[in-house]
Amino acid sequence: MEIPKSHPRYKSLMKRERVVKGVENGMVVLEGLIAHGRGEAFDYLIGEKTTKHALIAEKTAVAHIITAKNPVLSINGNTAVLAGKHIVEFAKITGAKIEVNLFYRTEARVKKLCEFIRSLGAERVLGEVGNAHIPGLEHPRGICSMEGIYRADVVLLALEDGDRTEALKKMGKTVIAIDLNPLSRTARTADVTIVDDVERAYMNMCALAMKMKVYGTKHLEEIKESFDNENNLREILRQICKRFE
Ligand code: PTJ
């Protein structure tokens, strides 16, 4: 069905269409529809736009990625179809690696998603060769690339469950999470939580990275140090409560 541009919820409905198409072509799992619905509900509560505190987290995330030695952007089915184009652009600006890591892992899906991300212009996408394992994660999601997530110092992930976030933290990595649910275990465990839609977050981070890549190390370190994730999440919850009033 054609959705008219004049529809008040056009953007949100188009996003839905992309996830549905992702299911149809095998990139997104059926469970991804449920995850998306949950995200939509939280997005509604924050006003379907980037909030001031999400932008602060996005700026902090960019500072971490730019100053990292081996930053990796971890992507799954939903993330790829919603933000693939911007992820490729962000990787080009910052030099971060891209790795496909799936909760509902099948080799066929990993391959399909790697091909999709390459078709968007990425020179290299890791994940097809699972030659390392995240300690303590029994799930197939623990399979990762030695060169990518396993050796990364900073990992940016989106639409996650809390287990991998915790396991990556235990490995001593800095974890940045994009999650519209400020109460999720992922949101509470990550070092930097971006409570924003994954597409908007990556679009904002591309613009920020273009500006920030010329910043000096001292300035970038100051941005990182001045950020308090717990406080930022509290402010976001306060904003949501205000909307109820
Ligand atoms: O592609 P796979 O196999 O790796 O599977 C991916 C899904 C998303 C199915 C899997 O990771 C999953 O089941 O995720 P959860 O546990 O449902 O968590 C998804 C989280 O992402 C929830 O907290 C949602 O609120 C949040 N979320 C959903 N849509 C968005 C979002 N966050 C940011 N942007 C969104 N568009």
Side-chain angles (χ1 to χ4, degrees), residues 53-58 60-61 157 165 175-196 227-230 232-233 236:
H53 290 91
L55 199 60
I56 293 170
E58 284 156 7
T60 310
L157 39 86
T165 312
V175 179
I176 303 163
I178 304 172
D179 192 336
L180 277 163
N181 178 2
L183 297 166
S184 75
R185 206 149 43 95
T186 302
R188 299 189 161 264
T189 312
D191 296 282
V192 180
T193 306
I194 299 168
V195 182
D196 202 358
F227 183 77
D228 179 338
N229 204 42
E230 222 180 291
N232 209 55
L233 284 173
I236 289 159

Side-chain angles (χ1 to χ4, degrees), residues 10-11 21 28 31 51 62 82 86-88 99 102 114 144-145 155 192 194 206 234 239 242:
Y10 178 78
K11 270 192 191 163
K21 281 219 172 74
V28 176
E31 290 82 351
T51 63
V62 173
L82 288 172
H86 308 294
I87 292 171
V88 171
E99 179 166 339
L102 302 178
C114 287
C144 67
S145 145
V155 180
V192 180
I194 299 168
C206 284
R234 201 174 302 123
Q239 288 303 314
K242 252 196 196 157

Side-chain angles (χ1 to χ4, degrees), residues 15 27-29 31-32 34-40 42 76-78 82 101-105 109 113 141 158-161 178-181 184 196-199:
K15 255 187 223 297
M27 287 200 277
V28 176
V29 282
E31 290 82 351
I34 301 169
H36 186 76
R38 181 137 53 122
E40 271 190 356
F42 280 105
N76 59 18
N78 288 53
L82 288 172
N101 176 276
L102 302 178
F103 188 83
Y104 299 98
R105 185 184 174 101
R109 259 185 90 221
L113 283 159
R141 168 168 268 186
L159 282 86
E160 275 278 331
D161 70 354
I178 304 172
D179 192 336
L180 277 163
N181 178 2
S184 75
D196 202 358
D197 166 67
V198 67
E199 184 185 18

Side-chain angles (χ1 to χ4, degrees), residues 141-221:
R141 168 168 268 186
I143 302 169
C144 67
S145 145
M146 177 66 77
E147 192 195 331
I149 288 173
Y150 193 83
R151 291 212 176 119
D153 50 352
V154 176
V155 180
L156 196 167
L157 39 86
L159 282 86
E160 275 278 331
D161 70 354
D163 283 1
R164 193 165 71 112
T165 312
E166 274 171 10
L168 291 171
K169 286 273 297 173
K170 275 193 192 136
M171 288 175 85
K173 300 178 193 305
T174 298
V175 179
I176 303 163
I178 304 172
D179 192 336
L180 277 163
N181 178 2
L183 297 166
S184 75
R185 206 149 43 95
T186 302
R188 299 189 161 264
T189 312
D191 296 282
V192 180
T193 306
I194 299 168
V195 182
D196 202 358
D197 166 67
V198 67
E199 184 185 18
R200 288 198 306 263
Y202 266 107
M203 281 170 78
N204 293 337
M205 288 193 295
C206 284
L208 285 164
M210 285 300 289
K211 262 204 310 201
M212 290 168 65
K213 65 181 184 177
V214 296
Y215 286 10
T217 315
K218 194 168 168 264
H219 190 176
L220 292 167
E221 290 301 328

